[in-house]
Amino acid sequence: MSIPRTPALSAAVIGALVAGLFAASPAVAAADEPTPTTTVNGYRNVGYYGQWRATGEAQATIKRLFVDGPAGENLTHLNYSFGNIAGDEEALDAARAAGVHGLDDVEPYTCFISDTAAPGPGQTDTAGDADSDFVHAFTADQSVLGIADTKKQKLAGNFNQLAQLKRLHPDLKVNVSLGGWSWSKSFSKAVATPELRAGLAASCIDLYIRGDLPVIDGRGGPGAAAGIFDGFDLDWEWPGAPDWAQEVGNTVDPVNDKANFLAFVQELRAQLDAVEAETGRDYELSAFLPAGPTQIAAGGWNDPELFEYLDYANLQGYDLWGSWTPETGHQGNVYGDPAHNWGLGLDTVVASYVNAGVDASQLNLGLAAYGQGWKDAEPQPWTASGGGLGQITWDQLKLRDLEVHHEQTADGRFNATWGYDAAAREFWSFDDEVAVAEKAAWALSKGLGGVDFWEIGNDVAGDLSTASAGVLRAAAPGPVAGAELVVCAETPDAAAAPWNAQTTYRGGELVHLDGRVFEAQWYAKGDEPGASVRGPWSTLTACGTDPATVQGWYADRIYTQGDQVVYDGVTYTAQWWSRNDVPGAKHGPWRS
């Protein structure tokens, strides 16, 4: 089937597609015991985010994605990518001598953040992106809450934007992803012994959970980033795998990596549990899973014991084929074809894990927010071309004059999306909104716990995560136990915009912040809701709760005669106008 390319499918078209996908879909039983994760209708909708996206040329800032765009309404988890693991003492000493910052107290094979880029592939022992992480100063217009970073702040950069983001979306789980293709060099050595595993886990927790950042350009320090991250995503590419599956320079131990990786996951889970006992918070642990049989076997990724310590994992559902080969093809076809790419497809990838005993509900299906391209190509997959063009983002693909094809199997099932640029003679393999909806529905039919995207900075308008969220919401309740994502802006009878320090508000206007909807009582600009019991903002309701519902008492809320609250388990009724009068006082305005 071929259709012309449009910038984005309309809501009506997506809605009709979703309705059709679930016209006869089987119900999936929901788990009985709740867990502290966040879900959309019992499913995960996970987005990886490359830290460099905010300060790079594209300026795909967290504000653009979550405030100007719909990501906050659709994503349950954000995986901040990536964190690095240091190399040996020689590499650290050389970097310190060269003036690299952030390494003063860093031990070999531990988590760290530095202010230097890698000189080249495989030279990542001391590479970091402190500028993007916590040093870069965002302007008020670039800021989630409209607050410009100042020179005196200990925390700026993306970390500060994430802290602001969690004030608008308290349910969003934000995890840091360790490794990735470029920063997996030291993983093998870092988990080689019990002592090293314990040290690595402790260093990662200190850096990202306790928030003890290095001091760089006046930013950072002990506890500077505390409370931002909810856990870790392990993206080691790839333990025990042969050289052809590795970035150049990676250390690999084919004999011991598998066992050492499992032991590290156990150690990290145990240390996170100990921190939970201290803080009262729950911390998640996930992983990024390979698609190739060789990588799966080498790293033990489909060992059910591994999933006793992981909350969930994200399957690589893309790059099954790519522009590194001269033949065009599908980078993420649903059904493997024995005639092409050794029969690899999403069906064989999922089967590699489920057939090994992994609970399907712990798996998310990976979707691509980018395309693989070929030049001098024919308008047909699995044909010769003039060579690969590499990758371009979904946002760039939307601007191309592509004839888009939604390929189906002989029996009418969706298989893959591809596009052809006739003028340029280019072939592109990618996921569009139709592919995302179809693949998400397929994943749910297999009992999977959701989907994930690499990476949401490639999709600033949120076309793809909106399409997946539509499928998740329309499906039968899913298998993941956890709290439903609360969208503050959609609070019943109290639709509210995100609060922004640069916006002028007048009496009666509604905003949301810190899990509450506030109503302006008079003119307000720069006055933070909830900061004062005498300020211009009065709490109207908790996010997601109808204002007419009897709720807990709020000190800043203006109550009038007849209003009811619950305080210390007792229901009180206001006898007259009240603000900041604690219920239960002998001569106060409240009567039980």
Side-chain angles (χ1 to χ4, degrees):
M1 179 175 71
S2 173
I3 63 172
R5 177 70 244 161
T6 57
L9 295 184
S10 68
V13 172
I14 287 290
L17 175 61
V18 170
L21 289 172
F22 287 107
S25 62
V28 180
D32 294 329
E33 295 299 324
T35 61
T37 197
T38 300
T39 75
V40 170
N41 191 30
Y43 301 98
R44 307 176 202 89
N45 203 28
V46 180
Y48 282 86
Y49 176 70
Q51 68 222 102
W52 60 91
R53 301 288 294 166
T55 54
E57 184 177 343
Q59 292 279 294
T61 61
I62 293 169
K63 188 250 187 182
R64 288 187 67 194
L65 296 170
F66 285 87
V67 178
D68 302 337
E73 303 168 13
N74 297 318
L75 293 179
T76 60
H77 296 71
L78 174 64
N79 283 351
Y80 185 82
S81 309
F82 290 101
N84 198 4
I85 298 172
D88 59 22
E89 188 64 52
E90 182 180 0
L92 288 167
D93 287 342
R96 293 183 189 112
V100 175
H101 299 101
L103 304 177
D104 289 350
D105 300 315
V106 174
E107 297 290 333
Y109 309 123
T110 61
C111 276
F112 74 102
I113 299 175
S114 78
D115 67 347
T116 185
Q123 302 177 56
T124 59
D125 306 74
T126 59
D129 192 359
D131 184 61
S132 295
D133 289 345
F134 66 93
V135 174
H136 179 83
F138 285 100
T139 66
D141 288 342
Q142 297 169 326
S143 169
V144 168
L145 295 181
I147 303 172
D149 291 328
T150 66
K151 292 183 178 180
K152 294 183 178 181
Q153 282 177 221
K154 294 300 183 184
L155 187 71
N158 287 330
F159 286 7
N160 187 43
Q161 295 304 302
L162 289 173
Q164 293 184 21
L165 178 64
K166 296 190 80 170
R167 298 190 66 187
L168 292 182
H169 300 284
D171 295 331
L172 179 70
K173 298 297 182 182
V174 180
N175 298 321
V176 61
S177 188
L178 301 178
W181 178 253
S182 297
W183 284 0
S184 289
K185 178 178 181 178
S186 300
F187 242 122
S188 179
K189 289 185 177 179
V191 299
T193 69
E195 294 76 18
L196 287 170
R197 291 191 288 270
L200 175 61
S203 70
C204 297
I205 288 172
D206 286 343
L207 185 63
Y208 294 108
I209 302 301
R210 302 189 193 279
D212 295 338
L213 301 178
V215 177
I216 298 177
D217 292 344
R219 312 281 199 202
I228 295 173
F229 292 104
D230 297 295
F232 296 96
D233 177 69
L234 303 177
D235 191 356
W236 180 0
E237 302 183 24
W238 300 110
D243 288 345
W244 60 260
Q246 304 283 347
E247 170 66 293
V248 60
N250 281 9
T251 299
V252 180
D253 183 346
V255 176
N256 299 303
D257 274 354
K258 181 192 300 187
N260 290 341
F261 177 53
L262 175 59
F264 172 65
V265 175
Q266 293 171 325
E267 176 66 32
L268 182 56
R269 180 69 266 171
Q271 290 199 29
L272 284 172
D273 289 346
V275 179
E276 288 179 358
E278 295 176 21
T279 65
R281 292 182 58 182
D282 293 281
Y283 299 103
E284 297 188 345
L285 187 55
S286 64
F288 177 65
L289 306 179
T294 299
Q295 294 94 319
I296 294 172
W301 291 99
N302 59 354
D303 181 353
E305 186 179 0
L306 177 65
F307 287 81
E308 295 178 14
Y309 306 98
L310 296 177
D311 293 282
Y312 65 92
N314 302 302
L315 288 168
Q316 183 182 16
Y318 37 80
D319 288 352
L320 307 188
W321 190 257
S323 50
W324 53 84
T325 176
E327 186 179 59
T328 63
H330 299 314
Q331 72 153 323
N333 47 296
V334 177
Y335 301 101
D337 182 348
H340 304 291
N341 198 19
W342 300 278
L344 193 62
L346 301 184
D347 56 350
T348 65
V349 174
V350 171
S352 295
Y353 291 88
V354 175
N355 291 350
V358 175
D359 184 347
S361 69
Q362 287 186 274
L363 302 173
N364 300 328
L365 181 65
L367 303 170
Y370 66 91
Q372 296 273 5
W374 292 262
K375 63 183 178 181
D376 298 325
E378 299 300 322
Q380 189 68 31
W382 310 115
T383 57
S385 76
L389 290 168
Q391 301 176 7
I392 63 174
T393 69
W394 165 248
D395 288 333
Q396 292 170 325
L397 281 164
K398 289 193 299 182
L399 301 177
R400 305 294 294 267
D401 184 20
L402 297 180
E403 181 184 61
V404 177
H405 298 256
H406 298 129
E407 181 178 289
Q408 297 180 340
T409 62
D411 56 358
R413 296 173 297 171
F414 174 84
N415 186 48
T417 292
W418 59 274
Y420 189 69
D421 184 334
R425 298 196 68 241
E426 293 176 357
F427 180 99
W428 292 93
S429 173
F430 55 92
D431 287 338
D432 62 356
E433 301 100 321
V434 170
V436 166
E438 292 279 4
K439 289 181 177 182
W442 178 84
L444 270 53
S445 75
K446 300 300 180 182
L448 269 63
V451 300
D452 66 273
F453 291 91
W454 178 264
E455 58 89 28
I456 58 171
N458 292 336
D459 176 24
V460 172
D463 304 326
L464 305 183
S465 61
T466 297
S468 62
V471 171
L472 304 184
R473 290 188 172 104
V480 182
E484 181 71 12
L485 176 68
V486 174
V487 180
C488 289
E490 298 176 359
T491 297
D493 293 328
W499 176 74
N500 188 284
Q502 302 302 306
T503 302
T504 298
Y505 300 97
R506 304 195 182 279
E509 291 192 81
L510 304 181
V511 299
H512 68 84
L513 186 72
D514 296 328
R516 288 188 272 169
V517 174
F518 296 85
E519 182 179 13
Q521 303 303 297
W522 54 82
Y523 173 96
K525 183 176 182 180
D527 302 279
E528 184 176 304
S532 171
V533 296
R534 297 179 178 85
W537 294 104
S538 171
T539 297
L540 179 64
T541 185
C543 284
T545 302
D546 193 297
T549 304
V550 177
Q551 302 174 58
W553 173 76
Y554 297 105
D556 69 341
R557 179 168 176 174
I558 295 175
Y559 297 96
T560 57
Q561 184 178 16
D563 286 341
Q564 291 188 312
V565 299
V566 175
Y567 187 77
D568 282 346
V570 178
T571 300
Y572 292 88
T573 303
Q575 305 302 296
W576 56 82
W577 188 97
S578 170
R579 190 180 199 187
N580 198 29
D581 296 295
V582 179
K586 186 175 182 180
H587 299 294
W590 296 101
R591 294 291 179 268
S592 60

